[in-house]
Amino acid sequence: MHQALILTKYPDEYARLIHEATLPGLTTIATSEVADGVARGGDSGIVLGDPARVVQALPHLPRLQWVQLSWAGVEPMLDPALRRDYILTNVRGVFGPLMSEFVFGYLLAHERKIRLRDEAQRAGRWDTTLPGTLGGRTMGLVGVGSIGAHLASTAKHFGMTVRGYTRSSENCPHVDRYFHGPDAVAFARGVNYLVAVLPHTTATRRIVDAGMLNALSPGAVVVNAGRGDTLDTGALVKALTEKPLAAAVLDVFEQEPLPADHVLWRTPGVSITCHTAAPSFPADIVSVFAENYRRFARGEPLQYRVDFDRGY
Amino acid sequence: MHQALILTKYPDEYARLIHEATLPGLTTIATSEVADGVARGGDSGIVLGDPARVVQALPHLPRLQWVQLSWAGVEPMLDPALRRDYILTNVRGVFGPLMSEFVFGYLLAHERKIRLRDEAQRAGRWDTTLPGTLGGRTMGLVGVGSIGAHLASTAKHFGMTVRGYTRSSENCPHVDRYFHGPDAVAFARGVNYLVAVLPHTTATRRIVDAGMLNALSPGAVVVNAGRGDTLDTGALVKALTEKPLAAAVLDVFEQEPLPADHVLWRTPGVSITCHTAAPSFPADIVSVFAENYRRFARGEPLQYRVDFDRGY
């Protein structure tokens, strides 16, 4: 028999989904409160949860063998002051499709002028203004990991050209052309949609700076869904205010929640999506957990194991 | 030498694009006014234009050999009182991608709660409400021609299940299951997104009726982008008002423009898109025209020729 402690904002939904997965030999204790979880499930060998909660519980789990995170991001777990005497796995592969829905949802809303059409409808006006189209346009991806690769495949489905700006990797078949290091401006020149999806593990800050923003095609749209410090916020606000840029869709920020008095809340053309671009849907997470649990119970290697030293 | 009369709302853009296509032996006369076109270009052997304008010019073109329409819809040209002593071609193949952008733009805006997030942003509220997702949901296509087939491929890209309701055809590889005739309710049962893209040539009216609407999954979205009379408007308004349906996106209507006092303008959940779902972008049309012109000049059969008797 194995016991799993589930520490998440949605304990009832996780408990229900795990019950439905009928995992042999598993009992669960599910709660959103760390203290409650440790009190009732401190002897668990398995923990499934989000990093902020799991970090607090770590010192109180003497029998811990395996932690399955419900997120992709693992930074809180990498603090050198924390124990590392257990197997850590995260979630991968499920966020690419969600990120495509996010990015293309906002790009299509922009091209289809959904907000302007809503306004026309409220005024009872038959508005035959032509929409724009993604077909034939160019997307520039800052970061081409598994999420960037999915975005590239979606861009290709919609008939777009795709450029990738990476440190060195060039392994995505849907990227038409790669750029590296000093070629940032050449990469950005003529790009219609600049989409930054750099992972949190990347060391570089403010790659998307004034030089890159000013090289974009007039009327371009910028999307940041990787990490907040990828983007030079001041340069972005200037580019939006002076109108070479048409819009920016921002999911991540250097400080979250974004402070109430921050200029981005009211900069023209900015959409703030509050770190919801690629959420951890419990059904997706439980699917990863269930597969890993079956491996764990059979003593096999787990999927998506994190190397504490490499940080991913 | 051949002369083409261009009758369109956008004569300058068409003239420019055709000039850029450098078609050998072709001169053009471009105008948005039929009377002007006939006066200056009445001896043209070729006409490129939209049906409403071309129909008016038809009796005044003694040398007419070929009409290239800028639209897919050919009904006005089929009036038995009109001449049929010329080759008629329309435009196909370019509307599937545009229709995918339209349908998925609105479906993603719905799932991503873009309008609600815009409201939260205006209030300066950090709103972490989870979005919905297309992944794992079911799309029901009423009509699976070339446009429906493109929608099916896009739905598959987003991880959806696809059903098709057709008269008899079953030839799209992206449709998981087909339904016909009396199986309308079985087709609709559990569908999350019902998308009607029946062509104007289809004889059947009000296929999407109360029976089909009431069988949809709770919170379903209906999209009509084929022809206005596919949908029972009264049943739709009832289903939206009583809330089994979450939203409807309507591009076509039995009367267009939609009359100012029509209930649909203000029915909750309805988006009115004013017949802009798959517009004829001049660049796309000129691309079809240029290929057909090269064939015409060489005496070869033209692409997308319309059979006057079949009506397509």
Side-chain angles (χ1 to χ4, degrees):
Chain A
M1 290 298 293
H2 297 286
Q3 179 176 294
L5 172 60
I6 302 166
L7 292 172
T8 161
K9 192 175 171 185
Y10 312 101
D12 297 342
E13 192 169 0
Y14 272 94
R16 179 179 64 74
L17 288 162
I18 288 174
H19 178 73
E20 287 173 10
T22 60
L23 298 171
L26 182 71
T27 58
T28 58
I29 293 167
T31 177
S32 61
E33 301 297 328
V34 175
D36 174 47
V38 166
R40 293 194 291 131
D43 57 344
S44 300
I46 304 171
V47 172
L48 164 62
D50 50 77
R53 287 181 168 84
V54 174
V55 159
Q56 295 177 57
L58 270 187
H60 312 290
L61 300 165
R63 301 184 168 195
L64 183 64
Q65 293 178 271
W66 164 40
V67 170
Q68 171 68 59
L69 294 181
S70 59
W71 289 17
V74 298
E75 300 91 316
M77 315 296 295
L78 301 179
D79 186 328
L82 294 175
R83 63 194 279 187
R84 295 182 171 193
D85 60 344
Y86 62 96
I87 296 168
L88 177 63
T89 56
N90 68 353
V91 174
R92 302 174 208 173
V94 304
F95 300 110
L98 290 172
M99 203 61 99
S100 272
E101 293 191 24
F102 169 73
V103 169
F104 287 85
Y106 274 88
L107 293 185
L108 286 168
H110 177 77
E111 290 300 345
R112 284 283 158 173
K113 305 177 172 70
I114 286 183
R115 294 165 176 114
L116 291 174
R117 279 191 209 287
D118 284 354
E119 269 178 44
Q121 181 174 341
R122 279 192 289 273
R125 194 171 73 239
W126 183 259
D127 173 14
T128 58
T129 313
L130 283 183
T133 175
L134 302 180
R137 316 292 293 275
T138 298
M139 174 170 284
L141 291 167
V142 179
V144 189
S146 65
I147 285 174
H150 198 279
L151 294 175
S153 75
T154 307
K156 280 290 156 193
H157 180 82
F158 284 114
M160 302 172 69
T161 299
V162 182
R163 296 183 194 167
Y165 184 73
T166 64
R167 232 178 319 193
S168 60
S169 66
E170 299 203 351
N171 49 17
C172 173
H174 298 293
V175 171
D176 297 294
R177 191 172 166 201
Y178 276 97
F179 298 78
H180 310 290
D183 297 329
V185 168
F187 158 74
R189 195 169 288 135
V191 160
N192 303 107
Y193 313 111
L194 185 80
V195 182
V197 282
L198 282 174
H200 288 258
T201 46
T202 314
T204 327
R205 294 181 71 241
R206 301 202 177 161
I207 291 181
V208 182
D209 59 6
M212 204 183 259
L213 291 171
N214 292 332
L216 297 173
S217 185
V221 179
V222 170
V223 181
N224 188 15
R227 40 175 244 201
D229 66 0
T230 303
L231 198 62
D232 181 337
T233 303
L236 179 76
V237 170
K238 189 161 184 289
L240 284 163
T241 311
E242 298 176 358
K243 290 285 180 202
L245 278 194
V249 184
L250 305 177
D251 191 55
V252 289
F253 304 89
E254 293 196 63
Q255 192 185 340
E256 294 184 9
L258 186 66
D261 59 350
H262 200 289
V263 61
L264 285 173
W265 282 111
R266 281 166 196 85
T267 301
V270 168
S271 296
I272 307 279
T273 58
C274 309
H275 214 137
T276 61
S280 294
F281 287 113
D284 291 333
I285 307 309
V286 167
S287 164
V288 170
F289 174 75
E291 172 59 25
N292 261 348
Y293 174 75
R294 291 191 192 95
R295 292 168 182 238
F296 180 81
R298 293 193 298 254
E300 295 170 9
L302 305 191
Q303 286 190 303
Y304 312 135
R305 182 166 180 176
V306 175
D307 180 318
F308 284 101
D309 291 325
R310 287 191 311 168
Y312 58 90
Chain B
M1 292 299 293
H2 298 287
Q3 178 176 294
L5 172 60
I6 301 165
L7 292 172
T8 160
K9 192 175 171 186
Y10 312 102
D12 296 342
E13 193 169 1
Y14 272 93
R16 179 179 62 75
L17 288 162
I18 289 174
H19 178 73
E20 287 174 10
T22 58
L23 298 171
L26 182 70
T27 58
T28 59
I29 293 167
T31 177
S32 60
E33 301 296 329
V34 175
D36 173 46
V38 166
R40 294 194 291 130
D43 57 343
S44 299
I46 303 171
V47 172
L48 164 63
D50 51 77
R53 287 180 169 85
V54 174
V55 159
Q56 294 176 59
L58 270 187
H60 312 290
L61 301 163
R63 299 185 170 194
L64 183 64
Q65 292 177 272
W66 164 39
V67 170
Q68 171 67 60
L69 293 182
S70 59
W71 289 17
V74 300
E75 301 90 315
M77 315 297 294
L78 302 179
D79 186 327
L82 295 173
R83 64 194 279 187
R84 296 182 167 192
D85 60 342
Y86 62 95
I87 296 167
L88 177 62
T89 56
N90 68 352
V91 175
R92 301 174 209 173
V94 304
F95 300 111
L98 290 172
M99 203 61 98
S100 272
E101 293 191 24
F102 170 72
V103 169
F104 286 86
Y106 274 89
L107 293 186
L108 286 169
H110 177 76
E111 291 299 345
R112 284 282 157 175
K113 304 178 172 70
I114 286 183
R115 294 165 176 113
L116 291 175
R117 278 191 209 287
D118 284 355
E119 269 178 45
Q121 181 174 343
R122 278 191 290 272
R125 195 170 72 240
W126 183 259
D127 173 14
T128 59
T129 312
L130 283 182
T133 174
L134 302 180
R137 316 293 294 274
T138 298
M139 174 170 284
L141 292 167
V142 179
V144 189
S146 64
I147 285 174
H150 198 279
L151 294 175
S153 74
T154 307
K156 280 289 155 195
H157 180 82
F158 284 114
M160 301 173 69
T161 299
V162 182
R163 297 182 194 169
Y165 183 74
T166 64
R167 234 180 317 193
S168 60
S169 66
E170 299 203 352
N171 48 17
C172 174
H174 298 293
V175 171
D176 297 294
R177 189 170 167 203
Y178 276 97
F179 298 79
H180 311 290
D183 297 329
V185 169
F187 158 75
R189 195 169 288 134
V191 160
N192 303 107
Y193 313 111
L194 185 80
V195 181
V197 282
L198 283 174
H200 288 259
T201 47
T202 314
T204 326
R205 297 180 71 239
R206 299 201 177 161
I207 292 181
V208 181
D209 59 6
M212 204 183 259
L213 292 172
N214 292 332
L216 297 173
S217 185
V221 180
V222 169
V223 182
N224 188 14
R227 40 175 242 196
D229 66 359
T230 302
L231 198 61
D232 181 336
T233 303
L236 179 76
V237 170
K238 189 162 184 292
L240 283 163
T241 311
E242 299 176 359
K243 289 282 180 205
L245 277 194
V249 184
L250 306 176
D251 191 55
V252 289
F253 304 89
E254 294 197 63
Q255 191 185 341
E256 295 183 9
L258 186 67
D261 59 351
H262 201 289
V263 62
L264 285 173
W265 283 111
R266 281 166 195 84
T267 301
V270 169
S271 296
I272 307 278
T273 58
C274 310
H275 214 139
T276 61
S280 294
F281 286 114
D284 291 333
I285 308 307
V286 168
S287 163
V288 170
F289 173 76
E291 171 60 23
N292 261 347
Y293 174 75
R294 291 191 194 95
R295 291 169 182 239
F296 180 81
R298 293 194 297 255
E300 296 171 8
L302 305 190
Q303 284 190 305
Y304 312 135
R305 182 167 179 175
V306 175
D307 180 318
F308 285 101
D309 292 324
R310 288 192 307 169
Y312 58 91

